[in-house]
Amino acid sequence: MDSIYRKLADTLLPWYRKNARALPWRQDTEPYHVWLSEIMLQQTRVEAVRAYYLRFLEQFPSIHALAKAPESQLFKLWEGLGYYNRARNLQKAARVIETQYGGHFPNQYENIRALPGIGPYTAGAIASICFNQPYAAVDGNVLRIITRMTENDAPIDQTKTKAEIAAQLEKVYPKNDCGQFTQALMELGATVCTPKSPTCTVCPANDFCRAHANGTALQYPFKQPKKDKRSEDRTVFLLQYEDKYALTKRTESGLLSGLWQLPNVTGKMDAEQVLYTADTFGVEPIELYRELHRSHIFTHIKWQMTCYHILCAKAPSDFTWATAQEIQTAYALPTAFRMFFEFNHKTNQTKAINE
């Protein structure tokens, strides 16, 4: 098995230099840029991240700018990427870098790993790419490559498996090309050794990949069976007074903590219950205008959502009332709620044009 790891290190570097995609965060090895891209890329497609990455750096070109940014602006730039704790931890870490390291990104793995929101994978990526240190960045792509090449059936969702693979990789990291080796592994997993349709015939490592030799690539990696997500019914209120819509803020703890939302309650209500509840809000409902059904999946829970668009006669101060333009530019709505607002807004625009 050791020989497979050594061959991989020798083979991937020349392949990567010829085949690496031109990505905006690969233009330099500035730690802030690499860090930001790795956080954004967690559970998010490369093509989706490109525009977010460039917009983010335009607004916050430095760690100092990120550290002092208003949270509302930060969340608005993050809107649509999901997992908002990533953005919150980015700012927390920026402030730690400002106070503890004088605004300079720490260059030791242990110090990088200690920053808020940075786990072993991100710390390994930064340490290797930015500081040429032999620390592996073991994510799903790397786990897939290694378990296929070695026909390793250890569950990849176990911390022990990740740690063992990282330790084996770090033994063969090329002394002067740590960053390129890390990126070559990422690139191979993203473009060749893909989950469902690996292109083994063009893989630079197919001569020594056991799964390719035995036709078992699609059997790897192995994961433990996932528990079913808990399902929860929610009723959402899209309350409209003249050209403004009601918003509230979620609590500072729990799911989507501290973010803006449409008013909502746990459970599924019928139209009569919805109008009664809206009346208790003090909005004096005039008309139940539209009913929409959607679902939204989080890491551990699935929301089954019913949204009622209600035209109102009053705009009580218990809510924040904002126009469509203000919501689009100033208020960060998580996707779970934004999809109802966007559907309604687009539908109303279409009606206005047709009229």
mmCIF file of all heavy atoms in Angstrom, residues 333-350:
data_model
loop_
_atom_site.group_PDB
_atom_site.id
_atom_site.type_symbol
_atom_site.label_atom_id
_atom_site.label_comp_id
_atom_site.label_asym_id
_atom_site.label_seq_id
_atom_site.Cartn_x
_atom_site.Cartn_y
_atom_site.Cartn_z
ATOM 1 N N LEU A 333 -31.933 36.680 3.330
ATOM 2 C CA LEU A 333 -32.932 35.653 3.639
ATOM 3 C C LEU A 333 -32.365 34.278 3.292
ATOM 4 O O LEU A 333 -31.934 34.068 2.151
ATOM 5 C CB LEU A 333 -34.209 35.874 2.818
ATOM 6 C CG LEU A 333 -35.261 36.856 3.318
ATOM 7 C CD1 LEU A 333 -36.432 36.884 2.335
ATOM 8 C CD2 LEU A 333 -35.758 36.490 4.703
ATOM 9 N N PRO A 334 -32.363 33.333 4.220
ATOM 10 C CA PRO A 334 -31.944 31.966 3.878
ATOM 11 C C PRO A 334 -32.830 31.402 2.774
ATOM 12 O O PRO A 334 -33.993 31.787 2.624
ATOM 13 C CB PRO A 334 -32.152 31.203 5.192
ATOM 14 C CG PRO A 334 -32.152 32.240 6.262
ATOM 15 C CD PRO A 334 -32.725 33.469 5.640
ATOM 16 N N THR A 335 -32.284 30.474 2.003
ATOM 17 C CA THR A 335 -33.006 29.905 0.866
ATOM 18 C C THR A 335 -34.363 29.345 1.263
ATOM 19 O O THR A 335 -35.332 29.423 0.496
ATOM 20 C CB THR A 335 -32.156 28.798 0.211
ATOM 21 O OG1 THR A 335 -30.917 29.372 -0.210
ATOM 22 C CG2 THR A 335 -32.851 28.189 -0.989
ATOM 23 N N ALA A 336 -34.450 28.777 2.460
ATOM 24 C CA ALA A 336 -35.706 28.177 2.916
ATOM 25 C C ALA A 336 -36.856 29.169 2.845
ATOM 26 O O ALA A 336 -38.006 28.796 2.591
ATOM 27 C CB ALA A 336 -35.554 27.656 4.345
ATOM 28 N N PHE A 337 -36.564 30.463 3.080
ATOM 29 C CA PHE A 337 -37.610 31.486 3.035
ATOM 30 C C PHE A 337 -37.548 32.306 1.752
ATOM 31 O O PHE A 337 -38.567 32.746 1.230
ATOM 32 C CB PHE A 337 -37.483 32.419 4.244
ATOM 33 C CG PHE A 337 -37.630 31.694 5.559
ATOM 34 C CD1 PHE A 337 -36.529 31.439 6.349
ATOM 35 C CD2 PHE A 337 -38.875 31.250 5.973
ATOM 36 C CE1 PHE A 337 -36.657 30.757 7.551
ATOM 37 C CE2 PHE A 337 -39.021 30.568 7.180
ATOM 38 C CZ PHE A 337 -37.907 30.315 7.966
ATOM 39 N N ARG A 338 -36.344 32.501 1.234
ATOM 40 C CA ARG A 338 -36.174 33.339 0.049
ATOM 41 C C ARG A 338 -36.924 32.775 -1.155
ATOM 42 O O ARG A 338 -37.432 33.521 -2.001
ATOM 43 C CB ARG A 338 -34.683 33.478 -0.274
ATOM 44 C CG ARG A 338 -34.369 34.391 -1.444
ATOM 45 C CD ARG A 338 -32.910 34.837 -1.410
ATOM 46 N NE ARG A 338 -32.018 33.716 -1.180
ATOM 47 C CZ ARG A 338 -31.469 32.966 -2.128
ATOM 48 N NH1 ARG A 338 -31.745 33.228 -3.396
ATOM 49 N NH2 ARG A 338 -30.653 31.972 -1.839
ATOM 50 N N MET A 339 -37.025 31.433 -1.238
ATOM 51 C CA MET A 339 -37.686 30.848 -2.415
ATOM 52 C C MET A 339 -39.161 31.255 -2.495
ATOM 53 O O MET A 339 -39.695 31.429 -3.586
ATOM 54 C CB MET A 339 -37.549 29.323 -2.399
ATOM 55 C CG MET A 339 -38.105 28.630 -1.190
ATOM 56 S SD MET A 339 -37.732 26.843 -1.294
ATOM 57 C CE MET A 339 -38.309 26.294 0.320
ATOM 58 N N PHE A 340 -39.814 31.460 -1.360
ATOM 59 C CA PHE A 340 -41.210 31.899 -1.393
ATOM 60 C C PHE A 340 -41.305 33.358 -1.821
ATOM 61 O O PHE A 340 -42.149 33.718 -2.642
ATOM 62 C CB PHE A 340 -41.847 31.736 -0.007
ATOM 63 C CG PHE A 340 -41.992 30.306 0.421
ATOM 64 C CD1 PHE A 340 -41.321 29.838 1.524
ATOM 65 C CD2 PHE A 340 -42.801 29.434 -0.286
ATOM 66 C CE1 PHE A 340 -41.464 28.526 1.936
ATOM 67 C CE2 PHE A 340 -42.946 28.120 0.114
ATOM 68 C CZ PHE A 340 -42.273 27.658 1.233
ATOM 69 N N PHE A 341 -40.421 34.174 -1.278
ATOM 70 C CA PHE A 341 -40.451 35.587 -1.632
ATOM 71 C C PHE A 341 -40.141 35.778 -3.111
ATOM 72 O O PHE A 341 -40.803 36.546 -3.801
ATOM 73 C CB PHE A 341 -39.454 36.369 -0.778
ATOM 74 C CG PHE A 341 -39.325 37.797 -1.202
ATOM 75 C CD1 PHE A 341 -40.290 38.734 -0.847
ATOM 76 C CD2 PHE A 341 -38.265 38.202 -1.989
ATOM 77 C CE1 PHE A 341 -40.184 40.045 -1.281
ATOM 78 C CE2 PHE A 341 -38.160 39.511 -2.423
ATOM 79 C CZ PHE A 341 -39.129 40.441 -2.062
ATOM 80 N N GLU A 342 -39.132 35.067 -3.617
ATOM 81 C CA GLU A 342 -38.736 35.233 -5.007
ATOM 82 C C GLU A 342 -39.828 34.751 -5.952
ATOM 83 O O GLU A 342 -40.082 35.380 -6.982
ATOM 84 C CB GLU A 342 -37.423 34.485 -5.271
ATOM 85 C CG GLU A 342 -36.217 35.165 -4.615
ATOM 86 C CD GLU A 342 -34.922 34.458 -4.927
ATOM 87 O OE1 GLU A 342 -34.965 33.304 -5.417
ATOM 88 O OE2 GLU A 342 -33.853 35.048 -4.664
ATOM 89 N N PHE A 343 -40.479 33.633 -5.627
ATOM 90 C CA PHE A 343 -41.573 33.152 -6.475
ATOM 91 C C PHE A 343 -42.676 34.192 -6.542
ATOM 92 O O PHE A 343 -43.180 34.531 -7.615
ATOM 93 C CB PHE A 343 -42.136 31.835 -5.932
ATOM 94 C CG PHE A 343 -43.332 31.343 -6.692
ATOM 95 C CD1 PHE A 343 -43.170 30.533 -7.805
ATOM 96 C CD2 PHE A 343 -44.625 31.708 -6.322
ATOM 97 C CE1 PHE A 343 -44.275 30.086 -8.524
ATOM 98 C CE2 PHE A 343 -45.727 31.264 -7.031
ATOM 99 C CZ PHE A 343 -45.553 30.450 -8.134
ATOM 100 N N ASN A 344 -43.043 34.734 -5.403
ATOM 101 C CA ASN A 344 -44.116 35.717 -5.350
ATOM 102 C C ASN A 344 -43.738 36.990 -6.103
ATOM 103 O O ASN A 344 -44.513 37.532 -6.882
ATOM 104 C CB ASN A 344 -44.445 36.055 -3.899
ATOM 105 C CG ASN A 344 -45.500 37.144 -3.780
ATOM 106 O OD1 ASN A 344 -46.665 36.913 -4.024
ATOM 107 N ND2 ASN A 344 -45.073 38.342 -3.403
ATOM 108 N N HIS A 345 -42.504 37.460 -5.882
ATOM 109 C CA HIS A 345 -42.060 38.709 -6.509
ATOM 110 C C HIS A 345 -42.010 38.566 -8.028
ATOM 111 O O HIS A 345 -42.486 39.436 -8.763
ATOM 112 C CB HIS A 345 -40.687 39.088 -5.955
ATOM 113 C CG HIS A 345 -40.167 40.386 -6.475
ATOM 114 N ND1 HIS A 345 -40.881 41.558 -6.396
ATOM 115 C CD2 HIS A 345 -39.002 40.695 -7.101
ATOM 116 C CE1 HIS A 345 -40.172 42.541 -6.943
ATOM 117 N NE2 HIS A 345 -39.035 42.031 -7.386
ATOM 118 N N LYS A 346 -41.472 37.434 -8.524
ATOM 119 C CA LYS A 346 -41.390 37.223 -9.968
ATOM 120 C C LYS A 346 -42.778 37.096 -10.586
ATOM 121 O O LYS A 346 -43.047 37.607 -11.665
ATOM 122 C CB LYS A 346 -40.561 35.973 -10.263
ATOM 123 C CG LYS A 346 -39.078 36.147 -9.992
ATOM 124 C CD LYS A 346 -38.333 34.851 -10.211
ATOM 125 C CE LYS A 346 -36.850 35.027 -9.886
ATOM 126 N NZ LYS A 346 -36.105 33.747 -10.014
ATOM 127 N N THR A 347 -43.666 36.393 -9.877
ATOM 128 C CA THR A 347 -45.027 36.231 -10.378
ATOM 129 C C THR A 347 -45.740 37.567 -10.475
ATOM 130 O O THR A 347 -46.409 37.877 -11.465
ATOM 131 C CB THR A 347 -45.826 35.284 -9.460
ATOM 132 O OG1 THR A 347 -45.139 34.031 -9.384
ATOM 133 C CG2 THR A 347 -47.230 35.057 -10.003
ATOM 134 N N ASN A 348 -45.566 38.410 -9.461
ATOM 135 C CA ASN A 348 -46.199 39.736 -9.470
ATOM 136 C C ASN A 348 -45.627 40.615 -10.578
ATOM 137 O O ASN A 348 -46.348 41.392 -11.207
ATOM 138 C CB ASN A 348 -46.015 40.414 -8.113
ATOM 139 C CG ASN A 348 -46.903 39.778 -7.045
ATOM 140 O OD1 ASN A 348 -47.795 39.007 -7.364
ATOM 141 N ND2 ASN A 348 -46.626 40.105 -5.794
ATOM 142 N N GLN A 349 -44.312 40.500 -10.813
ATOM 143 C CA GLN A 349 -43.697 41.283 -11.894
ATOM 144 C C GLN A 349 -44.271 40.860 -13.247
ATOM 145 O O GLN A 349 -44.564 41.696 -14.093
ATOM 146 C CB GLN A 349 -42.174 41.073 -11.889
ATOM 147 C CG GLN A 349 -41.442 41.879 -10.816
ATOM 148 C CD GLN A 349 -39.947 41.725 -10.948
ATOM 149 O OE1 GLN A 349 -39.449 40.664 -11.274
ATOM 150 N NE2 GLN A 349 -39.234 42.793 -10.697
ATOM 151 N N THR A 350 -44.422 39.534 -13.421
ATOM 152 C CA THR A 350 -44.972 39.036 -14.682
ATOM 153 C C THR A 350 -46.388 39.534 -14.895
ATOM 154 O O THR A 350 -46.779 39.974 -15.988
ATOM 155 C CB THR A 350 -44.946 37.497 -14.689
ATOM 156 O OG1 THR A 350 -43.602 37.066 -14.497
ATOM 157 C CG2 THR A 350 -45.464 36.949 -15.997
#
